[in-house]
Amino acid sequence: MTATTQTAAAPASVGSGDEVVTHSLVRDVAMPGGAGTLALVTLDNGHDHTKPNTFGAKSIAELHAAMDALRARAEAGEVAAVAVTGKPFIFAVGADLTGVPLITDRSQAVEVARAGHAAFAAFSDLPVPTFAFVNGAAMGGGVELALSAQYRTISAGVPAVALPEVFLGLVPGWGGCWLLPNLVGVENALTVIIENPLSQNRMLKGPEAFRLGLADALFEPAEFLERSIAWAADVLTGAVTVERAAVDRDESLWAGAIATAKGLADVKTGRQARSPYVALELVAAARTASRDDGFAAEDEALGDLIMSDELRAGLYAFELVQKRAKRPAGAPDRKLARPVSKVGIVGAGLMASQLALLFIQRLQVPVVLTDIDDERVAKGVGYVHAELDKLAGKGRLGPDRLNRYKALVTGSTGKDGFADADFVIEAVFEEMSVKQQVFAEVEALVSPECVLATNTSSLSITEMASRLEHPERVVGFHFFNPVAVMPLLEIIPGEKTDDATLATAFAVGRDLKKTCIRASDSPSFIVNRLLGRFMGEATRILDEGTPIEVVDRAFAGLAPMPPFVLIGLVGPAIALHNGETLVRAFPDRFYASPTLQRIVAAKKPGFYDLSSGKPVLDPEVAELIEKPAEPVVLDVAAVRERVLTVLADEARRMLDEEVAQSPMDLDLAMITGAGFQFWNGGITPLLDRTGVAEKVTGHRFLPPGLSTLPA
């Protein structure tokens, strides 16, 4: 049912005046080969691809009316087939959810589900063959509409196909839980319905969706519609026979697939989310249920989930990502921003090279990498070239653009190439004296207006700028790793940073297509401070005697991965550095683990060996874990309560200190910078919902109804 790139409107009974209506525009097309007339329905909301097609109450009603009219024409022999396609680049991205907060009664929620089912069934039950030509992004209800067709084609250029409902706290409730397993089999269906949404909402590209069986034919984008119409004609005349593998309905096969997916849901959510388990029940029942029974079960499931705090938190998170992220709180007037026509990067290591690649692709301006020797410089430039070659190999860069992008990056062991740069960012060793020296060297070469940005993850911007002639041009510009994947960019003004510098930083961040959040110049800023508090508490609990597997298990459904897996991902030395920075700043509540110090000293890459694809505790690391004389062993519930308690305490302190502009920025930062779940709303809705916020701080972070059901 749902969208992940667009929000959604209420049913007609609760008002839908703000709905951007997706119209169902019908035109007749004479098919080649004497196959007859195809009634082609184009979904189009009248806007370009930046405002995708969605299905609100009026859109669903118009689609249903169009199908009723086409039924009459089909019965009269006027059309031989009906096909649905989308406007350029977009098929449809699901339900328009903006009106869900207006739904206050379960019966209204069920009405939304039934209306979608009725419209889509009117399409699938037409007395002539039906086709879906999936020309662009298709998500949620868009995929379910395509599944309602008898035959499907898909463009090789489609960037995203998904049933992301579980990611938000819903289920595919307009046919997806019944139609998909009965088309592609239970295992492939669960990949799309459960595994992908719980894996940071992974999207399929057109060819992947085709290989999974979601479409019968794959065509290149340039001639997609023409080829699809010709293919439909061939299907009608018998020139093409569509063959699909039979769905294996063996009871033990389905039970095994459901059990495997349930295990994944347990690991990802700690059973703290309802929606994956409701979806699993619906898919399990689809093995034997009739279509009508399957759809009726989806109606009831949507009625329950729409009236849940889980979905309301998911929609709150969605609103943050879609709207607040586009209008960053605390950003100066955009008119103050200076143009950036050349970028300098100090360092040529992995982070610096990732930054160079991003600046080249997004800003399309010259980028100069510098480092202390030719070998490092060559390696950095080589990394950028290799990544560009990979993109070209995947067809995402043409030869001309590939050559142009490669020519934009250069490298040097000197910084003279920065002389005409407008923006220089350092990505060197996380040591204050090193960064101060770098900025002093750069300042001697660049203009007084050139912005000096630092990618520090924890150090003071004010102190870093304190020895410069122009400290007003220094700003924190903190990316998250991997740079190409993580959306968040923390922008941190120092004590003397001026508005022009800050505005330029926000403008560059926007052009880089990052989610920019303003943070104050406080140790570790927003994400790393919150991560430092909860990871510090996790290591403290471990050092006190609770087994590592119990501590890790307690974080299921709270964090995107267990804390000791996360330490391996970011690197023990980096985690320890962040922890020790915070201990120096706040020794009363942060913790630097002796266990982690020994792991760093032993140069171990993490707590676990991940070579098998699953975390296995390194036996040598096990010997390094603190062994207290009087161990305190907590169970999963106690670990979780303790971690939530310290998170509530730290979040409240950060708001009181104005480290972040509001609770919404804490949540947006944790979602986009640390991968915290949508269905938790980030972090503060979870703290409110569990009662921990009031217990620890005396009051909620958010008013009732903002991320929960209305009071």
Side-chain angles (χ1 to χ4, degrees):
M1 171 190 170
T2 352
T4 62
T5 59
Q6 186 81 1
T7 41
S13 59
V14 293
S16 52
D18 293 335
E19 177 184 343
V20 177
V21 178
T22 295
H23 298 290
S24 298
L25 309 175
V26 183
R27 64 185 175 99
D28 289 353
V29 177
M31 289 183 285
T37 298
L38 172 74
L40 180 64
V41 181
T42 301
L43 304 172
D44 193 342
N45 63 7
H47 297 268
D48 67 16
H49 66 279
T50 61
K51 187 176 279 293
N53 295 328
T54 54
F55 296 122
K58 293 177 182 177
S59 306
I60 286 292
E62 185 172 323
L63 177 66
H64 198 158
M67 294 305 162
D68 286 345
L70 288 171
R71 168 174 282 278
R73 292 188 64 201
E75 289 172 344
E78 295 178 14
V79 296
V82 174
V84 175
T85 192
K87 68 182 183 181
F89 308 111
I90 302 290
F91 185 73
V93 298
D96 177 10
L97 300 171
T98 51
V100 168
L102 301 175
I103 299 175
T104 58
D105 182 274
R106 186 180 182 279
S107 63
Q108 296 171 326
V110 173
E111 180 187 334
V112 172
R114 289 175 177 164
H117 275 132
F120 292 2
F123 174 46
S124 60
D125 292 344
L126 288 171
V128 292
T130 55
F131 296 82
F133 302 153
V134 182
N135 64 302
M139 302 174 204
V143 172
E144 289 166 304
L145 176 60
L147 292 174
S148 301
Q150 190 175 353
Y151 305 102
R152 283 159 296 282
T153 66
I154 193 166
S155 168
V158 170
V161 177
L163 290 174
E165 286 80 357
V166 164
F167 181 69
L168 282 178
L170 276 176
V171 295
W174 282 347
C177 287
W178 189 88
L179 291 167
L180 190 58
N182 282 299
L183 174 69
V184 302
V186 65
E187 292 172 328
N188 284 349
L190 290 173
T191 296
V192 180
I193 294 171
I194 300 294
E195 182 180 344
N196 287 354
L198 292 182
S199 300
Q200 293 298 304
N201 202 25
R202 179 177 180 268
M203 303 279 163
L204 299 171
K205 297 189 184 302
E208 293 175 301
F210 171 69
R211 287 192 292 271
L212 275 180
L214 273 72
D216 302 302
L218 177 74
F219 299 124
E220 290 301 315
E223 298 178 335
F224 174 72
L225 186 57
E226 181 182 352
R227 293 283 304 277
S228 293
I229 291 170
W231 182 84
D234 287 344
V235 170
L236 292 178
T237 61
V240 167
T241 300
V242 176
E243 297 181 356
R244 300 176 187 142
V247 173
D248 190 336
R249 300 187 181 279
D250 178 74
E251 185 174 359
S252 61
L253 173 75
W254 280 59
I258 295 291
T260 299
K262 184 174 180 294
L264 175 69
D266 289 348
V267 169
K268 296 286 189 178
T269 73
R271 302 193 181 186
Q272 302 296 313
R274 290 174 59 197
S275 57
Y277 303 96
V278 175
L280 286 169
E281 290 174 5
L282 292 169
V283 172
R287 187 179 72 87
T288 56
S290 67
R291 189 189 77 170
D292 288 349
D293 287 345
F295 285 7
E298 290 179 355
D299 292 338
E300 296 303 314
L302 280 185
D304 291 338
L305 291 171
I306 287 175
M307 299 305 296
S308 71
D309 282 341
E310 180 184 329
L311 173 63
R312 303 306 170 107
L315 295 180
Y316 160 81
F318 192 63
E319 186 83 356
L320 294 180
V321 170
Q322 290 298 307
K323 294 189 177 179
R324 188 175 182 87
K326 293 178 173 63
R327 294 185 293 275
D333 188 335
R334 292 183 182 182
K335 295 175 183 176
L336 297 174
R338 302 189 188 103
V340 172
S341 58
K342 184 177 181 180
V343 172
I345 301 177
V346 185
L350 180 58
M351 174 57 77
S353 301
Q354 289 182 78
L355 295 180
L357 181 66
L358 181 69
F359 278 102
I360 287 166
Q361 291 177 283
R362 297 283 188 252
L363 301 189
Q364 300 183 30
V365 299
V367 174
V368 181
L369 283 165
T370 67
D371 215 315
I372 58 175
D373 59 51
D374 290 332
E375 183 180 350
R376 285 182 171 90
V377 170
K379 186 176 180 181
V381 173
Y383 170 89
V384 175
H385 285 187
E387 291 300 309
L388 291 171
D389 284 335
K390 288 178 187 177
L391 292 172
K394 295 175 182 177
R396 293 170 60 186
L397 279 183
D400 290 344
R401 184 174 292 184
L402 173 64
N403 291 332
R404 189 166 74 251
Y405 282 3
K406 283 186 174 182
L408 287 174
V409 62
T410 57
S412 172
T413 55
K415 298 182 177 67
D416 292 347
F418 293 168
D420 57 344
D422 306 298
F423 191 97
V424 175
I425 182 169
E426 67 77 21
V428 298
F429 185 65
E430 191 78 345
E431 175 64 45
M432 180 61 75
S433 61
V434 174
K435 292 179 184 289
Q436 286 177 327
Q437 179 183 343
V438 161
F439 274 166
E441 293 171 357
V442 173
E443 185 175 50
L445 295 169
V446 298
S447 72
E449 291 77 29
C450 176
V451 171
L452 301 185
T454 169
N455 187 45
T456 181
S457 60
S458 60
L459 301 178
S460 167
I461 311 303
T462 300
E463 183 181 351
M464 205 177 298
S466 62
R467 300 178 182 178
L468 297 179
E469 184 179 349
H470 293 286
E472 71 277 1
R473 49 120 132 250
V474 177
V475 66
F477 210 65
H478 178 220
F479 290 87
F480 289 77
N481 203 16
V483 171
V485 176
M486 300 305 289
L488 180 62
L489 176 62
E490 290 179 330
I491 296 180
I492 311 101
E495 188 177 302
K496 296 186 177 180
T497 303
D498 63 23
D499 283 350
T501 296
L502 193 57
T504 303
F506 274 101
V508 171
R510 185 176 63 252
D511 290 343
L512 293 174
K513 296 181 169 38
K514 291 298 182 182
T515 297
C516 301
I517 295 180
R518 178 171 177 165
S520 75
D521 189 11
S522 176
S524 296
F525 317 128
I526 296 176
V527 171
N528 283 345
R529 180 162 162 183
L530 283 171
L531 288 179
R533 186 74 192 271
F534 96 65
M535 289 170 70
E537 197 65 19
T539 55
R540 192 198 306 262
I541 293 168
L542 174 71
D543 289 347
E544 289 173 350
T546 299
I548 189 170
E549 63 274 11
V550 175
V551 181
D552 268 349
R553 207 160 61 241
F555 283 79
L558 167 60
M561 65 184 69
F564 297 108
V565 174
L566 180 59
I567 286 173
L569 182 66
V570 303
I574 294 173
L576 179 62
H577 171 79
N578 184 56
E580 290 178 340
T581 298
L582 288 162
V583 167
R584 286 192 296 272
F586 312 110
D588 57 317
R589 60 186 189 277
F590 281 86
Y591 177 73
S593 164
T595 295
L596 188 54
Q597 290 169 344
R598 286 192 287 270
I599 289 172
V600 172
K603 295 183 168 50
K604 303 299 291 184
F607 283 79
Y608 295 109
D609 178 355
L610 300 174
S611 60
S612 66
K614 294 182 178 180
V616 177
L617 184 62
D618 183 331
E620 294 181 7
V621 169
E623 293 301 314
L624 300 174
I625 294 175
E626 193 86 354
K627 297 174 176 60
E630 297 182 7
V632 177
V633 180
L634 304 180
D635 62 15
V636 166
V639 173
R640 186 178 176 85
E641 178 75 14
R642 191 160 139 185
V643 169
L644 288 174
T645 295
V646 301
L647 277 174
D649 174 67
E650 201 61 32
R652 176 59 59 197
R653 291 172 185 268
M654 290 169 69
L655 292 170
D656 290 345
E657 296 167 15
E658 299 183 347
V659 174
Q661 304 285 305
S662 72
M664 286 80 83
D665 281 347
L666 293 181
D667 294 324
L668 182 58
M670 296 307 284
I671 291 165
T672 58
F676 274 50
Q677 292 90 344
F678 268 52
W679 47 263
N680 276 336
I683 186 64
T684 68
L686 176 65
L687 296 170
D688 285 344
R689 191 165 75 233
T690 56
V692 173
E694 290 188 80
K695 178 181 175 183
V696 175
T697 73
H699 49 93
R700 297 169 58 94
F701 286 98
L702 300 169
L706 184 59
S707 65
T708 59
L709 286 166

